[in-house]
Amino acid sequence: MTPSAVASPDWQRIRSDFPVLRREIDGRPIVYLDSANTSQKPESVIDAMASFMREGYAPINRSAYRLAAAATDAYEGARSKVARFINAARPEEVVFTRNATEALNMVAQSWGRKNLRPGDAVVLSHMEHHANIVPWQMLVDQIGIELRFIPLTDDGLLDLDGLSALLDGARVLSVTAMSNVLGTINPVERLVAAGRAADCMVMIDACQSVPHGITDVQAWGADFVAFSGHKMLGPSGIGVLWGSSEQLELLPPFLGGGNMIDDVRLDGFTCAPVPAKFEAGTPAIVEAVGLGAAVDYLESVGMANIRRHEMGLTRYAIDSLRARYGDDVVIHGTDNVELRGGVLSIAFRDIHPHDLSQVLDESNVCVRAGHHCAKPLMRLLGANATVRASLYLYNDRSDVDALVEGLDGASDIFGL
Amino acid sequence: MTPSAVASPDWQRIRSDFPVLRREIDGRPIVYLDSANTSQKPESVIDAMASFMREGYAPINRSAYRLAAAATDAYEGARSKVARFINAARPEEVVFTRNATEALNMVAQSWGRKNLRPGDAVVLSHMEHHANIVPWQMLVDQIGIELRFIPLTDDGLLDLDGLSALLDGARVLSVTAMSNVLGTINPVERLVAAGRAADCMVMIDACQSVPHGITDVQAWGADFVAFSGHKMLGPSGIGVLWGSSEQLELLPPFLGGGNMIDDVRLDGFTCAPVPAKFEAGTPAIVEAVGLGAAVDYLESVGMANIRRHEMGLTRYAIDSLRARYGDDVVIHGTDNVELRGGVLSIAFRDIHPHDLSQVLDESNVCVRAGHHCAKPLMRLLGANATVRASLYLYNDRSDVDALVEGLDGASDIFGL
Amino acid sequence: MPGLEDLYREIILDHYKNPRNRGELPEPAISVEGHNPLCGDEITLYLDVADDVVRDVKVSGQGCSISQSSASMMTQAVIGRSVTEVRAVIRRFKSMMAIEEDGLEATDAEISLGDLEALQGVVKFPVRIKCATLSWNTLIQALDEAG
Amino acid sequence: MPGLEDLYREIILDHYKNPRNRGELPEPAISVEGHNPLCGDEITLYLDVADDVVRDVKVSGQGCSISQSSASMMTQAVIGRSVTEVRAVIRRFKSMMAIEEDGLEATDAEISLGDLEALQGVVKFPVRIKCATLSWNTLIQALDEAG
Ligand SMILES: Cc1ncc(COP(=O)(O)O)c(C=O)c1O
Ligand SMILES: Cc1ncc(COP(=O)(O)O)c(C=O)c1O
């Protein structure tokens, strides 16, 4: 992806870049398998933030002294890095938000309230995260729009057979690029094309895809793309809304206050240009610096390498689980690792996921047990909860082995 | 304020706790006089954030393993610290936002769209920051409410003579506790009482006051109080909305997504209890930890001590400027340091503030030149811009001296 | 770190595998839903109160060993008791779970929780306290609805 | 670090203290407002174009030495020129300010900026570039409105 990315990274060295993974609890290392939830941070990100606070912290966009000008450069430099990372046409197309959730809400509210009328249809999918459902449900209450959901096939892919019927007369198509429960990687370009053909505004929730592979928003051609910093080795407290220049120009501001204005009089205000228009108040300056460092780190490893690494590990995980437990383990979603990322939602021998994760935690295996903020999908799967193990660049086979081994411990306790 | 606060802090040691202030540019120390804009961070805050990312980073409220449970405790622990710091009745009354701006918008939008009807009046003051003006102006467009502004006296205090007339028939009173331009400290309790008497919802923008003195939201008795972490030694990317339990219970959610729900079905959602209801998506976890450390630091110094320190410095600054420059310097606002904080907006010998700050920057004196996100107030003062020097616990007389000295350099260049 | 044996006591696993009073009650019994948003557990609690006495309680839905066993033991502990007694049991249980509530009464300490004492180990696993208290909070709601 | 003398050249201070073409123009001259949100500067630019020639420009409002002197020198550089020439001057000035714009034309380099060259030092103070370009951006808007 970038010239600096090496052909074949040293994954052991990479693992050692993450301080939390060097920690031990009860004399055993931490097996972190919850990256779909939030990712660990490499030294370089932690150091970038700490150094910035130690040496360069200052306000941005407001004051003119050198320290403030340098801080502004650092903040805008991070914007440029993110823009390049997702191949945005211009840095101004990158808006910093608190997280993906805020980005999705911003579009639902600002675009939605401007453009949607009672009865208008918004098409989502049955595998969406709550962050791409609830904001639209709020518009159901506020405006009276109608929601439609793309159904799923038995192996957890989007069932696109009826897509054009669903899109017929719809105004919006908003879909995830990758499921945070099933791991399914959706065909974004095909979805965007279908949305375009139906004259829909198209938004992509790229929370799970951006951290794990190459992203090219220009190739995607959507109107908006949302993702979070904390899932891509960056700090908490920062997310991204990418929008095409055209759409951002038309989008009304979401929050009002400092930085987003051109002028304010007692009787009204005018807006600053994009992207300041969408960044009201003092932004997450330190966090932007951290996110910039995260992008640098990811690029130095290479996104294609990361995807390959995770594909291999996912294959290994599926095969190991099946070899050891056969039909006693259910892995939701497709078995085809070309079509899925490293997110494995599993059910095991009638043991409740919460109990499973508790037992796994005994051996420091960190997995999420629950509904993964995707309750409609869970209902479809017929499960209140699953155990979800999710992989990232810092994981290796030993982590998978610890997971597989740990499940047996649960059988012992529950006699199942 | 707290048992651990010492009677008379060692201000030199305190100053040395702030790494940026130990830096030199061109062999001279940085004279940071822009804390009303954003504050520097002590080692303890930087370390708390870095250590958390090194040793304890994990998702909160979602996963059940020990690392995640500890992270949740750290996050909720920070909420409790903030609650105690402002004397909230319960930690649940503290909602973490991105910044004060988001907190103010949240109330304007969520409370306002639920409760305000066309023609309803909202009372602000003429000294508000854009963050407490623009959100209401957006409601003027969206709902058709009317805005009224409390006027100012000649020495920059709120002119409360006509307050009851202004409040007559109004639904909302939203006022700053302290002006970020004039330094004026407003009589919050009196304002709240007047608002209550007029049956108004009362919000206080406490951005400038919380970092610099004792805050007691229970004594204030308002419905909502907003402030930012980055102005009180905490990191960027986090702010606080305090609301009375009663009001937060009634307030509709602002953003939809993970964490803020109790249940989601395809046809609708129900909300989680307060405060999760207002914290959609992955929050600023690391930043909450940093803010908690900032509160610890402030309490260890003692807010009453900080207020006293700044009062003394403000007095010294006013006196030094007047002694040296007489009528050539205009200091906006009241001369009475009992009624003002350490924010000095000045005009000097017809030299444009931008030029002044440029020249001051030559001697590393960092001040803000501009409208300070308070353009309506600036118009009232008859200035496009001022130079604003603002003080905090880490400043001392040498900083003031550098400012006073630096102004003379500007005279040299501009021959004024 | 406490071991898992503190959590998964035999009696708990027994109630988990063989839950008592599982099922539904027909109207006019009150039914209330409870969620644990953390783990996705959902239960429905049915309550039949007459003359200030809890005549029957049934619980349906899914959950982990802790939430299910807690619900099962709870039904045993409250069926047949007066509403006042049941409220005392609830207070006593919550205090065992280290949940501070207003209004713990002096006499509550005398109430025996029987099998429920086995859940004491949960306190050492704070995340699981919400599992243990799910059915109890749902019961409180149902009692409130019963007036 | 460049010294302040690079920024505050004598000619700049002269234009600042004695701004040329200050004031207003009556209608039908076009008037456009410009803001620099960073420092609060506000100017109004009046433009009189006829037969594709910039006949007169006046600027009112307040600003710092850089924005005011830049506006003053700009008026001198554009009054009397054809709109096409003026647009070339603008491109040339912006390129001196290190602002990359599409469409810089080969011939632009030949255009002399006269006094305006004194503003070259501003490039070393990036924050001040917005001051220097305020009147220019306002002029572009006015030209666009003039059609
Ligand atoms: C009085 C006042 N209100 C609101 C704000 C907005 O704070 P923030 O930019 O952190 O949202 C500020 C500071 O910029 C302020 O001084
Ligand atoms: C697919 C998807 N969308 C949206 C989100 C929300 O992200 P955040 O919580 O960072 O706002 C997540 C992660 O939680 C996710 O996995």
Side-chain angles (χ1 to χ4, degrees):
Chain A
M1 168 156 196
T2 55
S4 57
V6 292
S8 132
D10 176 349
W11 298 108
Q12 275 320 112
R13 191 196 50 72
I14 286 168
R15 186 183 178 90
S16 72
D17 287 337
F18 292 79
V20 166
L21 305 181
R22 298 196 302 255
R23 262 195 71 193
E24 301 198 332
I25 299 183
D26 299 335
R28 297 162 76 171
I30 289 175
V31 178
Y32 190 76
L33 294 172
D34 201 15
S35 297
N37 201 334
T38 195
S39 67
Q40 294 299 336
K41 323 300 170 205
E43 299 270 12
S44 65
V45 167
I46 301 168
D47 289 349
M49 293 170 70
S51 307
F52 181 70
M53 285 191 279
R54 263 177 217 293
E55 283 158 35
Y57 186 77
I60 64 151
N61 286 352
R62 293 180 172 187
S63 295
Y65 47 87
R66 283 163 292 167
L67 201 63
T72 304
D73 285 349
Y75 181 75
E76 294 302 329
R79 192 194 304 284
S80 298
K81 284 179 188 180
V82 171
R84 194 190 56 224
F85 184 65
I86 60 172
N87 197 29
R90 313 169 54 198
E92 295 77 28
E93 293 183 341
V94 169
V95 176
F96 286 131
T97 61
R98 179 180 41 236
N99 51 25
T101 300
E102 195 201 12
L104 295 161
N105 276 272
M106 199 187 262
V107 173
Q109 283 289 317
S110 290
W111 193 95
R113 286 205 271 151
K114 180 177 171 194
N115 293 289
L116 295 176
R117 302 283 163 267
D120 280 352
V122 168
V123 178
L124 311 171
S125 90
H126 214 129
M127 65 166 79
E128 297 310 312
H129 186 278
H130 293 162
N132 194 28
I133 301 175
V134 180
W136 302 106
Q137 290 181 335
M138 292 169 92
L139 286 185
V140 171
D141 296 340
Q142 289 165 15
I143 302 181
I145 60 168
E146 174 206 339
L147 301 186
R148 300 175 186 169
F149 294 89
I150 304 173
L152 308 189
T153 67
D154 284 345
D155 52 353
L157 308 183
L158 289 181
D159 181 351
L160 297 178
D161 286 350
L163 182 61
S164 41
L166 275 176
L167 286 172
D168 190 37
R171 300 290 318 280
V172 172
L173 172 64
S174 184
V175 187
T176 188
M178 173 174 151
S179 164
N180 67 316
V181 175
L182 303 168
T184 313
I185 295 172
N186 291 324
V188 173
E189 293 183 32
R190 183 172 161 201
L191 287 163
V192 174
R196 284 267 166 272
D199 266 340
C200 281
M201 181 278 271
V202 183
M203 176 153 69
I204 301 298
D205 173 359
C207 246
Q208 292 293 339
S209 69
V210 165
H212 301 282
I214 293 171
T215 305
D216 184 339
V217 292
Q218 293 189 70
W220 280 0
D223 296 296
F224 296 105
V225 174
F227 55 99
S228 278
H230 68 91
K231 292 188 204 276
M232 52 188 283
L233 313 185
S236 53
I238 190 161
V240 172
L241 174 67
W242 170 87
S244 71
S245 296
E246 221 181 323
Q247 283 288 9
L248 288 179
E249 225 38 79
L250 295 171
L251 195 67
F254 181 53
L255 303 181
N259 198 46
M260 58 70 72
I261 59 97
D262 174 54
D263 195 11
V264 178
R265 294 168 182 272
L266 288 184
D267 61 357
F269 69 96
T270 52
C271 285
V274 171
K277 180 169 123 187
F278 304 107
E279 297 182 354
T282 305
I285 309 171
V286 179
E287 292 67 28
V289 169
L291 182 55
V295 164
D296 287 342
Y297 188 89
L298 288 171
E299 287 189 333
S300 76
V301 179
M303 296 312 293
N305 290 327
I306 292 173
R307 170 75 181 124
R308 228 174 356 252
H309 175 72
E310 292 179 17
M311 241 158 77
L313 264 192
T314 306
R315 180 77 273 153
Y316 178 73
I318 293 174
D319 293 346
S320 306
L321 285 165
R322 288 219 201 292
R324 173 92 165 244
Y325 301 113
D327 289 344
D328 282 354
V329 66
V330 175
I331 304 170
H332 294 285
T334 175
D335 258 26
N336 182 346
V337 296
E338 301 280 344
L339 298 179
R340 72 176 300 154
V343 174
L344 296 161
S345 278
I346 61 184
F348 183 66
R349 286 185 187 150
D350 271 344
I351 303 175
H352 190 280
H354 216 155
D355 290 317
L356 264 186
S357 88
Q358 181 87 56
V359 177
L360 288 169
D361 186 33
E362 275 311 280
S363 39
N364 294 347
V365 176
C366 303
V367 295
R368 181 168 173 188
H371 54 65
H372 318 300
C373 300
K375 290 193 88 170
L377 172 57
M378 298 306 287
R379 290 212 169 82
L380 191 69
L381 299 177
N384 275 349
T386 65
V387 154
R388 181 184 70 183
S390 49
L391 304 161
Y392 208 0
L393 75 169
Y394 39 64
N395 291 118
D396 61 21
R397 289 185 174 210
S398 75
D399 298 325
V400 173
D401 294 341
L403 169 71
V404 175
E405 193 62 44
L407 290 178
D408 230 10
S411 280
D412 293 346
I413 290 177
F414 290 93
L416 291 166
Chain B
M1 164 150 200
T2 54
S4 57
V6 292
S8 134
D10 176 349
W11 299 106
Q12 275 320 111
R13 192 196 49 71
I14 287 169
R15 185 183 178 92
S16 71
D17 287 337
F18 292 79
V20 166
L21 304 182
R22 298 196 302 253
R23 263 196 71 195
E24 300 199 331
I25 300 183
D26 300 334
R28 297 162 76 171
I30 290 174
V31 178
Y32 191 75
L33 294 172
D34 201 16
S35 298
N37 201 335
T38 196
S39 67
Q40 294 299 336
K41 322 301 171 205
E43 298 272 11
S44 64
V45 167
I46 301 169
D47 290 349
M49 293 171 70
S51 308
F52 181 69
M53 286 191 279
R54 264 176 216 292
E55 284 158 36
Y57 186 77
I60 63 150
N61 286 353
R62 292 180 172 189
S63 297
Y65 48 86
R66 283 162 292 168
L67 202 64
T72 304
D73 286 349
Y75 182 74
E76 294 302 330
R79 192 194 304 284
S80 297
K81 285 179 188 182
V82 171
R84 194 190 55 223
F85 184 64
I86 61 173
N87 197 30
R90 312 169 54 200
E92 294 77 29
E93 294 183 341
V94 169
V95 175
F96 286 132
T97 62
R98 180 178 42 235
N99 50 26
T101 300
E102 194 201 12
L104 294 162
N105 276 271
M106 198 186 262
V107 173
Q109 283 288 319
S110 291
W111 192 95
R113 286 205 270 151
K114 179 177 171 196
N115 293 290
L116 295 176
R117 303 283 163 267
D120 280 352
V122 168
V123 178
L124 311 171
S125 90
H126 214 130
M127 64 166 78
E128 297 310 310
H129 187 278
H130 293 161
N132 194 27
I133 301 175
V134 180
W136 303 106
Q137 291 181 334
M138 292 169 91
L139 286 186
V140 171
D141 296 342
Q142 289 165 15
I143 302 181
I145 60 167
E146 175 206 337
L147 301 186
R148 300 176 186 168
F149 295 88
I150 304 173
L152 308 189
T153 66
D154 284 346
D155 51 354
L157 309 183
L158 289 182
D159 181 349
L160 298 178
D161 286 350
L163 182 60
S164 41
L166 276 176
L167 286 172
D168 189 38
R171 301 289 318 279
V172 173
L173 172 64
S174 185
V175 186
T176 189
M178 174 175 150
S179 163
N180 68 316
V181 176
L182 303 168
T184 313
I185 296 171
N186 291 324
V188 173
E189 295 184 31
R190 182 172 162 200
L191 288 162
V192 174
R196 284 267 165 272
D199 266 339
C200 283
M201 182 277 273
V202 183
M203 177 153 69
I204 300 298
D205 173 358
C207 245
Q208 293 293 339
S209 69
V210 166
H212 301 282
I214 294 171
T215 306
D216 184 339
V217 291
Q218 293 190 69
W220 280 1
D223 296 296
F224 297 106
V225 174
F227 55 98
S228 279
H230 67 92
K231 292 189 205 275
M232 52 187 281
L233 312 185
S236 53
I238 191 162
V240 172
L241 174 66
W242 170 87
S244 70
S245 297
E246 219 181 323
Q247 284 287 9
L248 288 178
E249 224 40 77
L250 295 170
L251 195 67
F254 182 53
L255 303 180
N259 198 45
M260 57 70 72
I261 58 96
D262 173 55
D263 194 12
V264 180
R265 295 167 180 272
L266 289 183
D267 61 358
F269 69 96
T270 50
C271 286
V274 171
K277 179 167 123 187
F278 304 107
E279 296 181 356
T282 305
I285 309 172
V286 179
E287 291 67 27
V289 169
L291 181 55
V295 164
D296 287 342
Y297 188 89
L298 288 171
E299 287 188 335
S300 77
V301 179
M303 296 311 293
N305 289 327
I306 292 173
R307 170 74 182 125
R308 229 176 351 254
H309 176 74
E310 292 178 17
M311 242 160 75
L313 264 190
T314 305
R315 181 77 273 154
Y316 178 74
I318 294 174
D319 292 346
S320 304
L321 285 165
R322 288 217 201 292
R324 173 92 164 243
Y325 300 114
D327 289 344
D328 283 356
V329 66
V330 175
I331 304 170
H332 294 284
T334 175
D335 259 25
N336 182 347
V337 296
E338 300 279 343
L339 298 179
R340 73 176 300 154
V343 174
L344 296 160
S345 278
I346 60 184
F348 182 66
R349 285 183 188 152
D350 271 345
I351 302 175
H352 190 279
H354 216 155
D355 291 317
L356 264 187
S357 87
Q358 182 86 58
V359 176
L360 288 170
D361 186 35
E362 276 311 279
S363 38
N364 294 346
V365 175
C366 304
V367 295
R368 181 166 175 192
H371 54 65
H372 319 300
C373 299
K375 291 192 88 169
L377 172 59
M378 298 305 286
R379 289 212 171 83
L380 190 70
L381 299 177
N384 276 348
T386 65
V387 154
R388 181 186 69 182
S390 49
L391 304 161
Y392 208 178
L393 76 170
Y394 38 64
N395 291 119
D396 61 20
R397 291 188 170 206
S398 75
D399 298 325
V400 173
D401 294 341
L403 168 72
V404 174
E405 191 63 42
L407 290 177
D408 229 10
S411 281
D412 293 348
I413 290 177
F414 291 91
L416 290 166
Chain C
M1 235 294 298
L4 284 181
E5 57 281 5
D6 288 338
L7 190 63
Y8 296 125
R9 303 267 181 83
E10 206 157 316
I11 192 162
I12 290 177
L13 294 174
D14 174 51
H15 275 271
Y16 177 43
K17 289 176 193 160
N18 310 295
R20 327 299 200 258
N21 299 301
R22 239 192 112 70
E24 310 187 356
L25 289 178
E27 296 207 31
I30 288 160
S31 74
V32 173
E33 285 179 32
H35 304 277
N36 182 341
L38 182 64
C39 61
D41 286 356
E42 298 180 341
I43 62 162
T44 307
L45 182 137
Y46 299 84
L47 173 69
D48 175 5
V49 180
D51 301 329
D52 255 357
V53 168
V54 172
R55 303 253 280 248
D56 206 358
V57 179
K58 289 213 182 302
V59 179
S60 71
Q62 297 163 29
C64 65
S65 59
I66 303 301
S67 78
Q68 293 295 94
S69 62
S70 180
S72 171
M73 293 188 273
M74 177 187 81
T75 61
Q76 288 191 320
V78 301
I79 291 172
R81 277 193 151 138
S82 74
V83 169
T84 314
E85 282 171 331
V86 168
R87 292 213 182 260
V89 173
I90 294 172
R91 282 195 301 271
R92 180 78 179 74
F93 180 75
K94 287 213 163 183
S95 105
M96 185 174 84
M97 288 294 115
I99 296 167
E100 281 178 51
E101 298 266 312
D102 295 336
L104 195 68
E105 289 168 23
T107 50
D108 294 350
E110 294 159 24
I111 293 167
S112 151
L113 289 173
D115 285 3
L116 284 164
E117 301 277 359
L119 282 167
Q120 194 140 32
V122 172
V123 181
K124 295 180 203 149
F125 299 82
V127 177
R128 304 306 290 275
I129 292 176
K130 279 197 184 143
C131 307
T133 51
L134 174 61
S135 54
W136 296 79
N137 288 329
T138 315
L139 175 63
I140 292 171
Q141 252 186 283
L143 286 172
D144 289 348
E145 283 190 25
Chain D
M1 237 291 299
L4 284 182
E5 56 281 7
D6 289 338
L7 189 64
Y8 296 125
R9 302 267 181 83
E10 204 157 318
I11 192 164
I12 289 178
L13 294 175
D14 174 53
H15 275 271
Y16 176 44
K17 288 176 194 161
N18 311 294
R20 327 296 199 261
N21 299 300
R22 240 192 111 71
E24 312 186 355
L25 289 177
E27 296 206 31
I30 288 161
S31 75
V32 174
E33 285 179 32
H35 303 278
N36 181 342
L38 184 62
C39 60
D41 286 357
E42 299 180 340
I43 62 162
T44 308
L45 182 138
Y46 299 84
L47 173 69
D48 175 5
V49 180
D51 302 329
D52 255 354
V53 168
V54 171
R55 301 253 279 249
D56 204 357
V57 178
K58 287 215 185 301
V59 179
S60 70
Q62 297 165 28
C64 67
S65 59
I66 303 301
S67 77
Q68 293 295 92
S69 63
S70 181
S72 170
M73 293 188 274
M74 177 187 81
T75 61
Q76 289 192 321
V78 301
I79 290 171
R81 276 191 151 141
S82 75
V83 169
T84 314
E85 284 170 331
V86 168
R87 291 210 182 262
V89 173
I90 294 171
R91 283 195 300 272
R92 181 77 179 75
F93 180 74
K94 286 213 164 184
S95 103
M96 185 175 83
M97 288 293 115
I99 296 167
E100 282 178 52
E101 298 266 312
D102 297 337
L104 195 68
E105 289 167 25
T107 49
D108 292 351
E110 293 159 24
I111 292 165
S112 151
L113 288 174
D115 286 1
L116 285 164
E117 302 277 359
L119 283 167
Q120 195 140 31
V122 172
V123 181
K124 296 180 203 149
F125 299 82
V127 176
R128 305 305 291 274
I129 291 176
K130 280 197 183 143
C131 307
T133 52
L134 173 62
S135 55
W136 296 80
N137 289 329
T138 315
L139 177 62
I140 292 171
Q141 253 187 283
L143 286 171
D144 289 349
E145 283 190 24

